Amino acid sequence: MNPWKGLKNIPRNVWLISGATLINRTGTMVLPFLALYLTQGIEVSIAEAGIVLTVYGIGALVSAPFVGKLSDRIGSMNVMKLSLLSSGLVFLLFPWFSDYYTIILLTFVLSILSEAFRPASMSFLSEQGEPEQRKTIFALYRLAINLGMSIGPVVGGILTTINFSLLFYVDGVTTLAAGLYIAFVHWDNWNDENSDETTNETTEVNKVKPVYKDLRYMYYLLTLLPVSIVFFQNFSTLPLYIVEELDYTKPTLGALFMVNTILIIIFEVPLNTSTGKWQEWKSLVLGSFLTAIGFGAMALVQDLSFIIVTMVIWTFGEMIVFPSASAYVAGIAPNKRRGEYMGYYQMLFSTCFILAPFIGTHVYESFGSTVLWAGTFVLGITSTIMMLRLRRFSSN
């Protein structure tokens, strides 16, 4: 059985939006090097650079639900074009300003415009294909993101040795290119007018019901919070632990992260195709459990081979959790309100972008790595147990 054969029936629009995402992400290099640009290029303090990064997270956080709602009103395609074209221009303008407070303002505007793409694109993807294809669709979308992110930061690292401004110019040009691609490529027609009667009735009921009053959905977001905080340690405390405490080199760290990327590229789409008919709650439970085991086992690390084993475990958790998490939202969101629901979904990850580094680094500095990784295990298991209750709400 060919594990990739599920891709043959994926709608053309999914491939097109994944292509646009790949173009955009291949040029993603400003955010990974923003702190370095601020401290070395603009020469502000580390604390001031931290404030700028926090402002970016706040902008993404507060804008997500409003962007989702806007996507429902004017169309996800229009929001995606607006996001890419406007943020591309801001990238090009950014290096012309060196005043700290102007940079803060530009960063806030950039975060709102740039991060608007994700809830709109996920809303668009939710309308494509059949329910059993959703995991594969979102896995393909994540594959485009990861392929691009495996290129962008590498090129960005080279450009920083030449001129920091090149980061913004390349990021801006690729972002504009992705926006123009979306604007001019031929899209297949799609609509959800043929939704069944039950879906339409649900829509009518939910028209006057704010998302935050949808208790099932609020509970679902709450189940994702602990495991997402665990996963975001990948970008904060895990590098510190491997380089500073375990005393491995930065190139070794880079090679370890390549393990994560390679596994995602090879296995994520086939894995989610093979589990396409699983009920989402089952995938979420398994993925959260693997994430808990993978990160928690870091407390027992003895050597490099053990680190690789733990990374393999939590990477499989990541590959199962996140496509299933997106598919679950697409499945329960009322018709014509998927953008709004995806906006709140994105808001959760923006919250974790702020909380996870703060909590993780504080625990690591105050109590040590053993407590940190034991804590990630507890948080991951907490999500696992909470997700077991989702089967009560399953409509599959």
Side-chain angles (χ1 to χ4, degrees):
M1 180 178 177
N2 180 6
W4 293 88
K5 72 175 184 177
L7 290 177
K8 292 181 181 179
N9 299 318
I10 295 298
R12 180 172 176 271
N13 284 351
V14 176
W15 289 99
L16 292 176
I17 205 66
S18 297
T21 301
L22 178 60
I23 294 170
N24 184 30
R25 291 291 178 169
T26 299
T28 298
M29 52 190 69
V30 167
L31 193 57
F33 292 98
L34 185 56
L36 195 63
Y37 167 73
L38 293 168
T39 54
Q40 296 186 8
I42 305 299
E43 297 184 348
V44 302
S45 69
I46 294 176
E48 288 173 325
I51 290 173
V52 174
L53 292 175
T54 302
V55 166
Y56 187 96
I58 292 172
L61 173 66
V62 299
S63 67
F66 300 105
V67 168
K69 212 165 188 177
L70 181 66
S71 180
D72 291 329
R73 289 185 177 179
I74 70 173
S76 54
M77 184 64 68
N78 290 325
V79 172
M80 286 190 286
K81 287 187 285 189
L82 179 64
S83 169
L84 292 171
L85 295 174
S86 59
S87 60
L89 292 175
V90 175
F91 276 124
L92 295 178
L93 287 172
F94 209 107
W96 292 91
F97 297 91
S98 57
D99 176 71
Y100 179 67
Y101 294 102
T102 303
I103 288 175
I104 288 178
L105 177 61
L106 280 173
T107 301
F108 185 73
V109 172
L110 181 63
S111 69
I112 292 174
L113 297 176
S114 180
E115 295 298 325
F117 180 79
R118 185 166 295 190
S121 62
M122 296 183 77
S123 173
F124 177 83
L125 291 170
S126 300
E127 298 169 358
Q128 313 298 318
E130 302 298 326
E132 61 269 19
Q133 293 178 304
R134 283 176 180 148
K135 291 178 190 175
T136 304
I137 286 171
F138 286 111
L140 180 61
Y141 176 69
R142 272 178 42 87
L143 176 60
I145 292 174
N146 281 285
L147 279 173
M149 291 299 291
S150 68
I151 299 171
V154 174
V155 176
I158 297 171
L159 294 179
T160 58
T161 65
I162 303 172
N163 191 317
F164 274 113
S165 296
L166 292 175
L167 295 173
F168 296 91
Y169 296 142
V170 174
D171 208 333
V173 168
T174 53
T175 302
L176 287 172
L180 292 172
Y181 172 91
I182 287 180
F184 291 105
V185 76
H186 173 71
W187 298 89
D188 289 343
N189 292 328
W190 84 95
N191 61 65
D192 43 20
E193 292 175 0
N194 297 323
S195 301
D196 59 34
E197 228 173 277
T198 304
T199 303
N200 289 330
E201 288 174 4
T202 304
T203 303
E204 294 300 320
V205 171
N206 282 277
K207 275 182 178 176
V208 294
K209 183 180 181 181
V211 174
Y212 58 82
K213 289 189 178 180
D214 185 338
L215 298 183
R216 173 178 62 165
Y217 187 49
M218 290 296 103
Y219 175 78
Y220 169 67
L221 293 181
L222 193 61
T223 69
L224 282 177
L225 182 63
V227 73
S228 298
I229 289 175
V230 172
F231 175 73
F232 272 89
Q233 300 309 311
N234 177 30
F235 305 108
S236 53
T237 53
L238 186 59
L240 294 175
Y241 175 65
I242 291 174
V243 174
E244 293 187 357
E245 184 165 334
L246 300 182
D247 203 28
Y248 287 106
T249 64
K250 292 176 182 177
T252 300
L253 175 66
L256 286 170
F257 282 130
M258 281 299 295
V259 172
N260 172 263
T261 303
I262 291 170
L263 287 173
I264 289 172
I265 291 171
I266 296 174
F267 292 109
E268 182 161 338
V269 170
L271 181 63
N272 283 277
T273 299
S274 63
T275 61
K277 294 184 179 180
W278 286 21
Q279 293 176 312
E280 270 78 20
W281 70 267
K282 293 180 180 179
S283 299
L284 289 166
V285 167
L286 175 60
S288 294
F289 180 72
L290 291 175
T291 303
I293 295 295
F295 277 94
M298 291 296 295
L300 307 174
V301 161
Q302 301 284 332
D303 52 34
L304 191 61
S305 61
F306 196 94
I307 297 176
I308 294 173
V309 170
T310 63
M311 293 192 75
V312 170
I313 293 171
W314 64 253
T315 297
F316 270 87
E318 173 193 356
M319 291 189 290
I320 294 171
V321 163
F322 292 113
S324 300
S326 302
Y328 189 89
V329 178
I332 68 172
N335 191 21
K336 303 294 187 184
R337 292 184 62 192
R338 290 194 177 100
E340 187 176 3
Y341 272 63
M342 284 298 181
Y344 276 81
Y345 177 64
Q346 182 59 32
M347 188 178 179
L348 168 76
F349 292 109
S350 298
T351 301
C352 291
F353 183 84
I354 298 171
L355 287 181
F358 175 80
I359 294 172
T361 53
H362 177 75
V363 171
Y364 181 49
E365 188 175 40
S366 302
F367 304 102
S369 60
T370 301
V371 174
L372 170 67
W373 302 124
T376 61
F377 175 77
V378 171
L379 287 175
I381 292 298
T382 299
S383 277
T384 303
I385 294 171
M386 293 176 70
M387 285 171 177
L388 284 169
R389 295 193 62 191
L390 293 175
R391 58 185 169 180
R392 300 181 184 181
F393 305 126
S394 177
S395 58
N396 293 330

